[in-house]
Structure formats: structure tokens, C-alpha cells
Amino acid sequence: MHIPNRRSLLAAAAAFGATAAASAQGGEPMIGNNGATIIGPRNAQREGQNPNILRPPSTDHGSMPNLRFSFADAHMKIREGGWSREVTQRELAISTTMAGVNMRLTPGGVREMHWHKQAEWSFMLAGRARITAVDNDGHNFISDVGAGDLWYFPSGIPHSIQGLPDEGCEFLLAFPDGEFSEDSTFAITDLFAHNDPGVLAKTLGVERETLDHIPKEERFIFQAEPPPALPSDEIQDPLGAVPLDMVFRLTQQPPTQSAGGNVRIADMRNFPISSDVAAALVEVNPGHMRELHWHPNADEWQYYISGQARMTVFAAEARARTFDYRAGDVGYVPMSMSHFIENTGNEPLRFLELFKAPRFVDVSLTQWMALTPPELVAAHLNIDRAVIEKLRKDKQPVV
């Protein structure tokens, strides 16, 4: 027979205390007369962050894949000069079309010169950075970016990122491939470490001895001195600059405004180089929501910047499920599945909608109903025709 020791008794008491506290706060899987309290082990804090998983709405039904993963649960790669963490299909299995990386660079911290098979789309979350690139025709690009700015590097185009004073920077990177991983990037230091020095010297037109101290492995993120002012750092290119701007000042664009919030869209119509990724920055005021809608051209990958939200996704075949989101979380909605995103907090909700597509496209439930003969809609839903005739015919992304 097992005789409990002091440690096991303390652990049991702590678990009981957590259960009692959760019960006192109403954090139990009980709705009316259904369900029961949890009397076994539990993570009450995590349950409190996901109330619609613990107590699903009665409209939830059937089996659905997980549509949420938090960067807080992602592995952190820590280096001198910054850190990085990623959410790919490995972490969020449903995310087949998009992967994301959250990165922080100190002032002077460098994400080393590299390139990818996939295009790179980025949103600056905080601070300032300097980015550089050279395209396949030998045109160069250098620019400083700040919070709210986007950049886009087409697939295969080499580039770099460096944090600027006073605080460096933090940003979100998105790649239109769910299987993408930072570990599979092509880094300049890795290239040098795994090519014959004689070959490198011939390629560069330099003496072999000048390459005696090259790094022996990939540096990934490293600390360097902050760069000089932008005009002093620019390299005059005899072929000129890149033909399409690689930076877009998203938050400086006028939004589509409504009573409940606003939306700013960036796709090939106003950011022509971004051929593989379309995006929307959505702001939802407390008590409002991103309306019921769906996207007929691509899956939706979401990144939550601030606030709290709940999202219900309807997947046909009587399947629906509700998830809760907080800052730093990733959400995902497969193509054509209807959904809404409601602000469940008392501060503005800000999040990004990203698509592996050249254009942002959505279909509004309300607009569809308003632009269909009212007697037909009434026959389907048993709603009074007068109510249907009052529905708005223009699209209101936030209501």
C-alpha cells in the first residue's frame, strides 16, 4: 500500500486548492444541469484562458481540428542579439498554407543575410529596423521600417534585417507554406562554411588568405554595431533600385471605417510586390465583432496583436467549434468556412488576417442576404420580410 509523504500531501493540497479556486470562479465544465465539476488534476489558469473550450456554446457540434496555437507555447531560439520562435504546421497541423515566425532583435542585432524558397511577408510590431535586399536583376533595396509597416521579399531574394536604436525591434514574419521552418533558410555564413575556400576566393575575386577567419557555422542572429544613418548606409547601384517597393506603410493608409472598428487591407492592388500574401489589419472595439463572413479564395491565418477574442467556425455537415484567443495567439480558418471574431475584452482587439493569395476576398453573410430576393430569404429562415428588407446592402466588416 502507498503511504503518502509530505511532498505528495502538499501537491494534493495544492491541486485541491486550484480545483476549489476554479470552482469558486465558475470555471467548471457545467452548463445548466449538464456536466460536472473537475475533481482530478487540472490547469485552471489555462482553462480560464479558454472558457469556450471548457464550456462550449450549445451551437458547437461535431468534431473539428484544433484552430488555435499560441506563440507562448512555441520553442524559443535565444541568441546574442535577439530571439526567435515559430508556429508551423508542426505546431498547428491544420495550417497547411502559412507558417509564422515571431522575432526580436536588439539595437544592432542582425538576422543574418539569407534567403528562402518561400516569399517573406512581415508586420512590424514594435521598434525600428533596417532591411536590405538585392533582386535577381541586381537592383538593391534598403529602407528603415517602424511599427505598423510591412515588408515583402519575393521567394529566393536575399535580404537582411537589423534592429535600430533605441530599443531594437520585434516583428511577425509570415511565409506562404505551412511546412516552412527557419531552420531551412539559406544563410550566407552557412554557405561560406560549406564551400571550398578556394572556390569562394575565385568567385569573389579575392586572395584565398582573406577568407581565413570566416565563421565555421551559421550565425542566424548575432550582435553587431548599430548601422549609421540611412543616407550613409545606402549603396549606389549602377542598375538602380528595385522596380517595386518592398515596404508598405500599412497603418498610414486610410482604413475602411465602421461604428465597431476598422479594417486596413494590403494586397497586390496597393502593395504590388506582395503577389503571394494578402492581408488585413482589423481593429474591433469592445462590444463589437468582425462580422460573419468567409473567404472563397484561400485559408485564413490569423495573428492576434492585442485584446481578447472568441471565434466560432462553421465547417458544414453540422460541425462548428468555438475558440478563445489572446495577444500572441495564432488562429486558422480553412477556406470557405464561415466565422466571426468577437471582442470579448474591454479594450480594442487588433489582429491580422493573412492569406496565401494575391487579393483579399471575403463574402459577407448580411450582404448576401440583403442582395437576394427577400421572399426567398424569408422562406428559408422564417424571418419577417420587413426585417430582411432593412438589412444593409453595403459590406460592414466590423459590426
Side-chain angles (χ1 to χ4, degrees):
M1 183 175 113
H2 173 69
I3 300 176
N5 57 26
R6 183 174 182 272
R7 179 177 295 178
S8 63
L9 288 172
L10 288 173
F16 177 79
T19 301
S23 179
Q25 296 169 7
E28 297 290 350
M30 300 174 65
I31 301 174
N33 294 324
N34 297 328
T37 59
I38 298 173
I39 59 175
R42 69 186 304 174
N43 185 334
Q45 185 176 16
R46 180 64 101 188
E47 291 164 2
Q49 293 179 356
N50 297 279
N52 287 287
I53 291 179
L54 186 69
R55 291 181 301 278
S58 60
T59 49
D60 280 11
H61 186 267
S63 60
M64 288 273 285
N66 178 43
L67 302 177
R68 174 193 171 278
F69 192 89
S70 178
F71 270 106
D73 294 326
H75 171 69
M76 188 76 78
K77 296 168 67 175
I78 299 175
R79 301 288 189 273
E80 183 183 12
W83 53 255
S84 176
R85 51 188 176 178
E86 65 183 13
V87 175
T88 71
Q89 192 175 354
R90 178 185 61 240
E91 288 80 19
L92 185 58
I94 190 67
S95 184
T96 59
T97 63
M98 196 78 68
V101 173
N102 178 207
M103 186 174 290
R104 169 84 162 94
L105 298 175
T106 61
V110 177
R111 173 62 175 104
E112 73 162 294
M113 298 165 64
H114 66 285
W115 72 97
H116 320 279
K117 295 178 182 178
Q118 301 84 355
E120 175 179 300
W121 182 99
S122 183
F123 180 81
M124 282 287 290
L125 296 166
R128 297 170 59 245
R130 179 160 300 167
I131 59 174
T132 72
V134 176
D135 74 9
N136 51 286
D137 292 319
H139 303 111
N140 70 348
F141 180 81
I142 180 169
S143 180
D144 288 350
V145 289
D149 292 341
L150 309 181
W151 73 72
Y152 183 90
F153 299 128
S155 61
I157 298 302
H159 54 278
S160 69
I161 312 162
Q162 185 172 19
L164 296 175
D166 291 325
E167 59 181 344
C169 58
E170 186 173 339
F171 47 89
L172 174 77
L173 300 170
F175 303 87
D177 178 357
E179 294 184 340
F180 169 86
S181 173
E182 279 196 328
D183 295 332
S184 62
T185 59
F186 299 89
I188 191 170
T189 52
D190 204 21
L191 180 153
F192 268 65
H194 294 92
N195 272 285
D196 183 274
V199 171
L200 293 170
K202 287 181 181 179
T203 295
L204 300 174
V206 300
E207 296 297 323
R208 163 70 178 76
E209 293 75 20
T210 63
L211 304 179
D212 285 347
H213 303 292
I214 61 174
K216 301 303 181 184
E217 59 184 10
E218 178 185 3
R219 300 192 74 181
F220 182 54
I221 292 174
F222 64 94
Q223 186 64 48
E225 290 297 320
L230 184 60
S232 302
D233 217 20
E234 292 176 334
I235 302 295
Q236 295 303 313
D237 188 334
L239 299 176
V242 294
L244 294 176
D245 198 341
M246 294 180 172
V247 166
F248 185 69
R249 315 292 178 182
L250 178 60
T251 53
Q252 296 179 20
Q253 307 304 308
T256 299
Q257 191 74 48
S258 63
N262 62 71
V263 176
R264 290 177 171 88
I265 294 172
D267 61 16
M268 283 195 70
R269 290 170 292 183
N270 55 5
F271 191 23
I273 197 171
S274 187
S275 58
D276 288 345
V277 179
L281 174 62
V282 183
E283 299 187 13
V284 182
N285 296 328
H288 294 269
M289 71 179 194
R290 175 77 167 93
E291 68 160 344
L292 261 166
H293 67 285
W294 56 94
H295 304 278
N297 65 331
D299 292 3
E300 175 180 338
W301 191 93
Q302 304 165 341
Y303 176 76
Y304 288 83
I305 299 170
S306 61
Q308 297 178 209
R310 70 165 179 147
M311 176 174 71
T312 294
V313 177
F314 169 63
E317 299 176 332
R319 292 179 296 138
R321 189 171 173 188
T322 303
F323 297 85
D324 297 283
Y325 299 90
R326 292 170 177 255
D329 288 351
V330 171
Y332 199 83
V333 184
M335 184 172 67
S336 289
M337 292 188 182
S338 72
H339 54 288
F340 68 84
I341 302 101
E342 182 181 20
N343 186 338
T344 56
N346 52 17
E347 64 175 291
L349 169 69
R350 298 180 76 228
F351 63 96
L352 290 164
E353 302 178 1
L354 301 180
F355 308 87
K356 184 180 180 178
R359 276 196 58 181
F360 175 91
V361 179
D362 68 345
V363 176
S364 161
L365 172 66
T366 302
Q367 189 178 48
W368 175 37
M369 293 172 62
L371 296 175
T372 299
E375 67 276 6
L376 181 62
V377 179
H380 278 78
L381 300 173
N382 295 327
I383 297 175
D384 189 272
R385 174 172 174 159
V387 173
I388 296 167
E389 289 176 342
K390 292 179 181 178
L391 296 177
R392 296 189 63 131
K393 294 181 174 63
D394 59 326
K395 188 179 294 185
Q396 291 289 301
V398 182
V399 295

